Amino acid sequence: MRKKILLIDPPFQKFMNFSKNGIPIGLLSLAGELKRKGHSVEVLDSDYNPNGIPYPFMAKIEHYDEYLNNLHNGNHPIWSSIASHIEESKPDVVGISMISTKLRSGLKIAQIAKSLGVERVIAGGPHVTIYPEDALQSNYVDSVVQGEGEAVFERALTEKVVKADRIRDIKYLAWPARETLIGLKDYQPNDLGFVMTARGCSGSCNFCCSESLWGKIVRKRDIDDVIREMDSIHNTYGTNQFYLVDDTFTLEKKRVGEFCKKISDRGYKWGCLTRVDKLDENMLEKMACSGCSMIKVGIESGSQNVLDLMNKRITISQIEYAAKLINKHSIPWLAYIMVGVPGEISADVDKTMELINNVRPSYISTSIYTPYPGTGFSKQGNGIDFAREEANHHSMKVLAGNVPREKIIEFMKFADRYNANSKAAHKIYNC
Ligand code: B12
Ligand code: SF4
């Protein structure tokens, strides 16, 4: 039977007025498939905040309590606005996406939806894929979907726990239905340019849950279909800048070559995420010539010992070599750095600062290690399972490593100074 479905990405950054760009590809992909099956679907990204403040990292830490306070303040305008959307759209079903940091916020939306008489509230997304019980123990969630929701969403209308098999061939999925976004006209065209070309990663980094979510086999779409989607986004919304959200876009050299060849005459700018060991000179040359204007890579640490603890499976020389090549081709790049992993010590953090000064990324994006569910570290029993605690990573209350708080703060200040002085940093989007 045809249902009216409202899919919601919960608020988090918006509570602190941090800028938050992009679109929730997962929910829009569900919307595409549900529309194809004849349902009426809308997607509310209640965290979208393109005009928020692009805070430096230290400020993010300092503002974290605002999130906690607002989370518990039922009168906050963000909650009222979500309630108004539910009242206006009168959905039969509300589906909520929950990454770990948004679990509590997502559960609050479930409560609001139920108080407004919504018949069925379904939770999905990375956190409940791994810990379905965290959503099911709420009185306001009727069912959960573990894994990819596209093929199984309708089962959750009657079943309590739905375990999705991995979709074997993602090329048959409908494109993410950007047209279902509530407030679409307020979206910046380039935010609509988030595109996913493949699901999964061949890496097994101990702080990452990619393998638990997507499995070991990387499933890819055809490049022609990806480019058709990009053209359609460009023609519909005027988007000229795209961001490929795949875990590791450059896994397969031939496929990247095909993408670069076919995209190059469009004049689009594009960016991607990858690993330093999945880049080479020939590939970077093709990427640069075809409009690649941003590469985001996890270099994580300047200490080989820490890289090994992380099971990052890269060496410092590989980082140095990749950085040299990217800089040679003048492609702006962002380096993800993580501090505080189990086993790391202060001297390792010094090595990281030294490495950054040597390899000169255009921008650094830092994370304080957090034992997210489904990761190698969390399976080894390292650290508290933070998502079940009130605090999370930004609060700096949950540190599993041996790096003292002062050293973490020193590093965050270093990162803020580095970015402030970087000429290219202002060009970086969605970091
Ligand atoms: C793009 C991205 C971001 C963007 C988000 C942009 C946006 N507008 O949404 C930005 C840069 C802001 C970001 C930030 C962070 N991210 Co992020 N991000 C991603 C990334 C690379 C892609 C997300 C995506 O589009 N996926 C594609 C879709 C198809 O997958 P999906 O969203 O999971 O949806 C599918 C299923 O989960 C399910 N599903 C999802 N929702 C629902 C809802 C219902 C009702 C149902 C039935 C099913 C369902 O069906 C969907 C379709 O198959 C993922 C990695 C990845 N490959 O997914 C990490 C990922 C989501 N991020 C992650 C993390 C840790 C973070 C940060 C905490 C990092 C940090 N240290 O600050 C912050 C969180 C900030 C916050 N609280 O808001 C983790 C989440 C882990 C976890 N346990 O929750 C991931 C999985 C990376 C990883 N492998 O570790 N991120
Ligand atoms: S951190 Fe990146 S490279 Fe490592 S497993 Fe996760 S997605 Fe793959």
Side-chain angles (χ1 to χ4, degrees):
M1 208 182 92
R2 188 175 183 271
K3 293 280 181 194
K4 198 154 193 249
I5 301 167
L6 176 63
L7 302 173
I8 306 182
D9 199 346
F12 176 83
Q13 326 244 32
K14 202 170 178 173
F15 276 127
M16 299 166 280
N17 197 26
F18 294 166
S19 61
K20 161 78 188 334
N21 295 80
I23 45 172
I25 290 286
L27 290 183
L28 295 171
S29 180
L30 292 180
E33 281 299 310
L34 290 167
K35 265 184 78 177
R36 192 143 83 169
K37 288 173 180 148
H39 300 287
S40 148
V41 195
E42 285 182 303
V43 175
L44 174 63
D45 181 353
S46 59
D47 213 17
Y48 186 59
N49 198 23
N51 300 319
I53 302 166
Y55 279 121
F57 295 104
M58 271 312 291
K60 281 198 169 183
I61 292 165
E62 284 153 10
H63 281 260
Y64 179 71
D65 281 346
E66 283 171 32
Y67 162 69
L68 289 181
N69 294 337
N70 293 331
L71 185 65
H72 300 300
N73 171 8
N75 297 321
H76 193 280
I78 292 181
W79 296 130
S80 317
S81 152
I82 292 171
S84 304
H85 282 298
I86 296 176
E87 280 173 316
E88 271 162 38
S89 97
K90 297 193 179 35
D92 307 308
V93 183
V94 164
I96 307 167
S97 189
M98 298 181 188
I99 61 170
S100 295
T101 47
K102 293 185 175 183
L103 172 71
R104 277 158 204 284
S105 176
L107 294 177
K108 175 82 185 168
I109 294 176
Q111 183 182 2
I112 295 172
K114 276 296 177 193
S115 75
L116 294 171
V118 173
E119 193 184 304
R120 190 111 190 136
V121 172
I122 306 174
H127 188 85
V128 299
T129 290
I130 295 159
Y131 285 145
E133 60 275 28
D134 283 359
L136 283 170
Q137 72 194 12
S138 153
N139 293 330
Y140 310 110
V141 173
D142 298 298
S143 54
V144 296
V145 170
Q146 291 178 267
E148 292 162 287
E150 288 93 340
V152 298
F153 190 95
E154 286 167 319
R155 278 175 48 200
L157 298 175
T158 50
E159 295 171 37
K160 199 165 175 62
V161 182
V162 177
K163 277 191 190 194
D165 288 332
R166 290 210 173 88
I167 297 165
R168 209 177 302 162
D169 219 338
I170 61 166
K171 68 181 171 205
Y172 297 118
L173 290 175
W175 290 343
R178 294 169 177 79
E179 71 281 5
T180 61
L181 279 167
I182 292 177
L184 179 63
K185 65 173 180 21
D186 300 325
Y187 274 74
Q188 296 181 352
N190 291 341
D191 281 331
L192 298 161
F194 274 41
V195 172
M196 192 167 210
T197 87
R199 293 184 177 181
C201 174
S202 60
S204 314
C205 306
N206 272 333
F207 56 81
C208 173
C209 62
S210 175
E211 195 178 331
S212 297
L213 296 179
W214 306 110
K216 262 272 153 269
I217 298 168
V218 182
R219 292 156 296 152
K220 293 160 239 149
R221 292 170 57 195
D222 293 338
I223 291 300
D224 284 331
D225 188 50
V226 172
I227 292 180
R228 270 195 300 275
E229 184 186 351
M230 290 167 74
D231 285 343
S232 157
I233 300 168
H234 169 77
N235 293 334
T236 315
Y237 307 110
T239 304
N240 287 311
Q241 189 162 286
F242 293 87
Y243 176 49
L244 310 178
V245 299
D246 305 12
D247 281 340
T248 306
F249 175 64
T250 64
L251 276 179
E252 216 179 87
K253 203 174 160 156
K254 200 165 145 228
R255 187 167 181 267
V256 177
E258 184 189 349
F259 176 82
C260 293
K261 193 168 167 206
K262 292 183 171 164
I263 203 77
S264 58
D265 60 354
R266 308 292 207 274
Y268 303 152
K269 296 272 177 242
W270 61 277
C272 66
L273 282 157
T274 192
R275 295 173 51 96
V276 292
D277 59 344
K278 298 292 172 196
L279 289 167
D280 65 40
E281 169 114 55
N282 179 266
M283 189 193 271
L284 280 163
E285 200 175 321
K286 289 181 184 161
M287 289 167 74
C289 292
S290 68
C292 179
S293 60
M294 170 54 53
I295 300 177
K296 298 185 182 181
V297 280
I299 69 175
E300 316 299 355
S301 176
S303 154
Q304 188 62 52
N305 185 38
V306 173
L307 290 173
D308 294 345
L309 288 167
M310 290 174 169
N311 195 32
K312 189 73 201 175
R313 302 205 298 234
I314 56 172
T315 61
I316 300 288
S317 345
Q318 281 174 314
I319 295 174
E320 288 167 342
Y321 183 62
K324 201 168 112 193
L325 292 180
I326 307 175
N327 287 334
K328 179 176 163 192
H329 290 282
S330 306
I331 305 176
W333 64 291
L334 176 148
Y336 288 109
I337 304 288
M338 184 169 288
V339 285
V341 301
E344 184 171 11
I345 55 170
S346 291
D348 294 316
V349 180
D350 290 330
K351 287 184 186 167
T352 300
M353 292 190 270
E354 208 177 297
L355 181 74
I356 291 166
N357 282 328
N358 285 343
V359 299
R360 307 301 307 163
S362 322
Y363 189 81
I364 46 181
S365 176
T366 61
S367 292
I368 300 167
Y369 164 72
T370 311
Y372 286 110
T375 61
F377 277 136
S378 129
K379 286 177 199 161
Q380 290 162 17
N382 271 313
I384 311 156
D385 220 334
F386 97 99
R388 288 162 170 179
E389 301 293 315
E390 185 58 51
N392 80 12
H393 62 307
H394 290 301
S395 74
M396 298 185 69
K397 286 173 193 152
V398 187
L399 293 181
N402 304 315
V403 180
R405 184 186 163 89
E406 297 68 42
K407 194 71 188 176
I408 302 267
I409 289 177
E410 181 191 331
F411 179 76
M412 289 298 176
K413 288 184 174 164
F414 162 85
D416 285 340
R417 263 195 323 274
Y418 183 93
N419 288 333
N421 291 332
S422 163
K423 288 198 188 82
H426 67 279
K427 291 188 194 151
I428 309 279
Y429 53 93
N430 295 323
C431 45

